[in-house]
Amino acid sequence: MPDSRLQHVTILGATGSIGVSTLDVIGRHPERYAVFALTANRQVDKMVEQCSRFGPRYAVMVDADAALQLRARLRAAGCATEVLSGAAALAEVAAAAEVDAVMAAIVGAAGLEPTLAAARAGKKVLLANKEALVLSGQLFMDAVAASGACLLPIDSEHNAVFQSLPVSYQRNPGASGVRRILLTASGGPFRDSAVEDLEHVTPDQACAHPNWVMGRKISVDSATMMNKGLEVIEAHWLFGAPADQIEVVIHPQSVIHSMVDYIDGSVIAQLGNPDMRTPIAHALAWPERIDSGVGALDLVEISRLTFERPDLERFPCLALAYQALRAGGAAPAVLSAANEEAVAAFLDGNLGYRRIGDVISATLERVGVMAVDSLEAVLAADAHAREIARDQITKRSMTR
Ligand code: NAD
Ligand code: MG
C-alpha cells in the first residue's frame, strides 16, 4: 500500500542541475510530495520562479544581497514564502522537525554542514553532494547510524549499485558473495584526445560533457575523471566496500550506470537513459517506484555498448583518489578540497587544465597525516588543504 502521508522535502541547492531535476520529479507527484524549503547560493531569478510554482514555507539564500532581492520580489508577486539568509539557515531548514526528506544537492564542501545536520536529525537523506561524504567519511556514516537516518544515493552509479547489491552486503561484505563493484564512467569529453592536446583545453571545452548536462564543477571533474575518483571514495563509505573491491570501467554510452559482480559469475547491472530524474525518483519513492518523466530505454536504437579500461596517465586524478582512499585519515578531505580550489582556478582561467592533477598531488604530499574525528577537524583539514592548494595554484598560475 502506498504511504498516503505527504512527504515534506527540503532541497539544498534547488537552483542547480540536480535541484531542478528534483523539482521536475516532485512536480509530477503533488499528492506525494510538498516542498518545505528551497535553498540557493545567489540565483534570485530561478528562485523566484521555483517559489512561485512550489510555494515552499522557506527559501534560503546564502548571499545576503540576494536574500534582500528575493524577499522584495516574492512580496511583489504575492508569494508567502519566508526568505532566510546565511549559511546557518541551510542547516536549520535541513533539520527542521517538519521535514521528512532532504535532497543534498549543494556542490562541494559548502554542502557538508547542512547535509550532516540532516543526517544527525534522522532524515531521509538523498545524497547527491558526494564531496560532503568524501570530506567527512566515517563521521557522516556514524551520524547516519546514530540517528537512524535513511541514506539513499542519488549519484547515478551509486544508485545503480544500491539497486544491484544484496541487502546483506553492508552488514557483512565478505559473506555476501560480491566479488567487485564496477563503477562505470563515460570518460568525459577528452577520452580520445591526445594527452599533449589537453594542455590548452578551455573551461567550455571541459564542460561540454557528451552525455550529461551538469553543473560546471562536476563537469570538469568528469573530464579529469576526478569525479570517478570521488565516486570510488563515495562507494567505499556508502556501502562499506574496500578500495580493492571497487573498479572503474569506461563505458562511453552511459547506459549501464554501474554493476555488481558476484563470485558465481553473475553480474547485476542497472541500465537506463542518462537522465538524473531516474535515480532521483528512485530515491524519493524508495522502496516504491514512481514515474520520473524519463522515457523507456531503447536498446535497439542505442545498438552498441562498449567498454574500456581507464588510462591512468591520461586521468591521473583517478589514481590520486585511490591513493587518498588507501591513505585514509584526512587524505580524501585534502584531495577534495585541493580539487575544488584547482577546478575553481581552472574555471576562472587561472590554472591550466593539466595542472589540476599536479596541484592536488602536491597538496596531498604537503599535508601531514591528520585525524578527522569531528566536524571541526574535517573543516580544519579542508581549510588547511585549501591554503596549500592556493599556494600551489599561484606557483603554476597562467597569469605569471
Ligand atoms: P550546480 O552547480 O548545478 O548547482 C549547485 C547548487 O548549489 C546551486 O543551487 C547553488 O546555488 C548551490 N550552491 C553553490 N555554492 C553554494 C554555497 N557556497 N552555499 C550554498 N549553496 C551553494 O551543481 P549540480 O550539477 O546540481 O551538482 C550538485 C551536487 O550533485 C554536486 O555535489 C555534484 O557532484 C552532485 N551530482 C550532480 C550530478 C548532475 O548530474 N548534475 C550527478 C551526480 C552527482
Ligand atoms: Mg555520478
Side-chain angles (χ1 to χ4, degrees):
M1 275 296 285
D3 184 352
S4 58
R5 204 171 66 91
L6 198 61
Q7 295 268 303
H8 295 270
V9 184
T10 283
I11 304 179
L12 302 170
T15 54
S17 158
I18 293 286
V20 167
S21 293
T22 304
L23 285 171
D24 183 279
V25 175
I26 284 180
R28 292 166 193 274
H29 305 279
E31 73 298 348
R32 289 184 79 117
Y33 307 106
V35 179
F36 176 77
L38 297 175
T39 86
N41 196 19
R42 60 174 97 240
Q43 289 136 295
V44 176
D45 289 347
K46 227 176 209 173
M47 193 56 114
V48 170
E49 207 181 286
Q50 294 181 340
C51 288
S52 306
R53 167 141 188 237
F54 291 94
R57 180 110 153 255
Y58 297 103
V60 180
M61 298 303 270
V62 174
D63 182 84
D65 285 342
L68 284 176
Q69 283 180 43
L70 180 67
R71 205 169 284 134
R73 295 210 15 212
L74 290 182
R75 198 174 304 137
C79 175
T81 297
E82 189 176 328
V83 178
L84 309 175
S85 160
L90 298 173
E92 284 167 28
V93 297
E98 299 93 323
V99 174
D100 301 295
V102 175
M103 169 57 76
I106 290 174
V107 60
L112 172 59
E113 291 186 67
T115 306
L116 190 59
R120 285 178 170 161
K123 304 300 183 194
K124 179 170 176 177
V125 180
L126 315 178
L127 185 74
N129 181 199
K130 65 195 85 182
E131 298 92 342
L133 185 57
V134 169
L135 278 167
S136 60
Q138 191 66 56
L139 181 78
F140 191 89
M141 297 310 290
D142 287 349
V144 168
S147 70
C150 173
L151 179 61
L152 292 163
I154 295 298
D155 218 343
S156 58
E157 296 76 6
H158 304 76
N159 186 272
V161 171
F162 178 82
Q163 295 195 49
S164 307
L165 271 178
V167 277
S168 65
Y169 184 78
Q170 232 158 344
R171 281 197 305 277
N172 192 351
S176 63
V178 170
R179 182 158 43 204
R180 291 173 304 168
I181 289 174
L182 293 165
L183 298 181
T184 52
S186 69
F190 309 130
R191 183 172 54 87
D192 292 325
S193 314
V195 174
E196 317 78 75
D197 293 348
L198 299 180
E199 210 56 62
H200 303 291
V201 159
T202 66
D204 282 346
Q205 287 170 326
C207 289
H209 196 279
N211 306 335
W212 304 91
V213 180
M214 310 182 285
R216 283 171 82 77
K217 192 260 178 184
I218 185 178
S219 296
V220 176
D221 286 349
S222 297
T224 62
M225 278 190 85
M226 178 54 91
N227 182 49
K228 212 50 52 180
L230 296 173
E231 290 182 359
V232 168
I233 301 172
E234 184 185 11
H236 165 75
W237 290 117
L238 277 176
F239 307 119
D244 295 342
Q245 229 179 49
I246 309 168
E247 279 181 31
V248 172
V249 57
I250 292 186
H251 164 46
Q253 296 81 17
S254 299
V255 166
I256 297 182
H257 297 141
S258 279
M259 298 171 258
V260 175
D261 174 20
Y262 289 80
I263 52 174
D264 62 4
S266 302
V267 176
I268 303 208
Q270 186 260 4
L271 285 70
N273 289 315
D275 187 322
M276 290 306 292
R277 291 177 300 173
T278 294
I280 290 168
H282 171 266
L284 266 173
W286 184 83
E288 293 164 24
R289 298 270 178 179
I290 55 170
D291 171 35
S292 65
V294 178
L297 181 66
D298 186 342
L299 282 171
V300 174
E301 173 71 21
I302 294 160
S303 89
R304 265 164 54 88
L305 299 181
T306 59
F307 305 92
E308 295 163 23
R309 223 178 287 288
D311 168 359
L312 294 183
E313 254 181 66
R314 179 186 302 269
F315 299 114
C317 288
L318 180 58
L320 288 171
Y322 270 104
Q323 183 191 314
L325 174 57
R326 292 196 167 103
V334 171
L335 173 96
S336 184
N339 180 56
E340 268 195 55
E341 291 294 325
V343 170
F346 166 67
L347 286 171
D348 286 345
N350 293 328
L351 187 72
Y353 175 80
R354 295 256 288 152
R355 304 286 83 75
I356 294 173
D358 297 345
V359 166
I360 300 164
S361 170
T363 306
L364 278 168
E365 266 171 38
R366 281 165 179 75
V367 177
V369 180
M370 297 166 82
V372 279
D373 48 7
S374 66
L375 176 59
E376 293 66 34
V378 172
L379 297 176
D382 177 82
H384 182 48
R386 282 172 198 269
E387 207 175 292
I388 292 178
R390 282 197 285 264
D391 188 43
Q392 292 300 315
I393 290 164
T394 308
K395 286 193 177 128
R396 295 169 173 81
S397 169
M398 301 208 301
T399 53
R400 295 216 156 189

